[in-house]
């Protein structure tokens, strides 16, 4: 299949992430649709919403600077980054190391 037909969330780079430097997330959506990228902690609580809105078809990049919704730096540890678009969803683990 063409790359543009795929739905992917690639592993963030760099990983482990060392805030305050941001880590980069590359993702591809096959069709234009509302999409969200949310960072969760190990308890499944929302830490930060990176993307929430209409997304064009193709490849995109999002950045996470290791902060939560209030702008505070998150603690070291593992976080789950989940991309949802239409009926598709994908998740990766992000390690934050200080």
């Amino acid at each position: 299949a063409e790359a543009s037909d795929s739905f992917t969330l690639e592993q963030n780079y760099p990983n482990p992430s060392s805030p305050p430097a941001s880590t980069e997330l590359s993702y591809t959506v096959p069709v234009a649709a509302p999409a969200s990228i949310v960072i969760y902690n190990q308890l499944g609580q929302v830490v930060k919403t990176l993307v929430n809105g209409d997304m064009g078809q193709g490849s995109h990049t999002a950045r996470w600077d290791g902060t939560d919704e209030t702008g505070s730096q998150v603690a070291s540890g593992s976080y789950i980054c989940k991309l949802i678009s239409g009926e598709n969803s994908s998740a990766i683990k992000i390690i934050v190391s200080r």
Side-chain angles (χ1 to χ4, degrees):
E2 296 271 328
S4 60
D5 295 339
S6 64
F7 175 86
T8 56
L9 173 61
E10 295 172 31
Q11 185 64 52
N12 62 298
Y13 180 83
N15 190 42
S17 164
S18 299
S22 59
T23 190
E24 198 166 275
L25 301 148
S26 296
Y27 60 102
T28 305
V29 292
V31 292
S36 66
I37 296 181
V38 180
I39 307 285
Y40 297 91
N41 63 19
Q42 290 295 323
L43 301 175
Q45 298 164 323
V46 173
V47 173
K48 179 108 177 201
T49 301
L50 299 181
V51 173
N52 188 16
D54 291 332
M55 192 61 55
Q57 174 184 351
S59 298
H60 304 275
T61 302
R63 292 177 191 275
W64 182 40
D65 59 3
T67 60
D68 63 18
E69 297 285 22
T70 67
S72 302
Q73 293 286 335
V74 300
S76 296
S78 299
Y79 294 84
I80 303 298
C81 175
K82 191 167 190 182
L83 166 64
I84 300 174
S85 177
E87 297 177 353
N88 298 305
S89 71
S90 183
I92 58 170
K93 182 181 283 188
I94 295 179
I95 307 295
V96 174
S97 173
R98 297 199 176 283

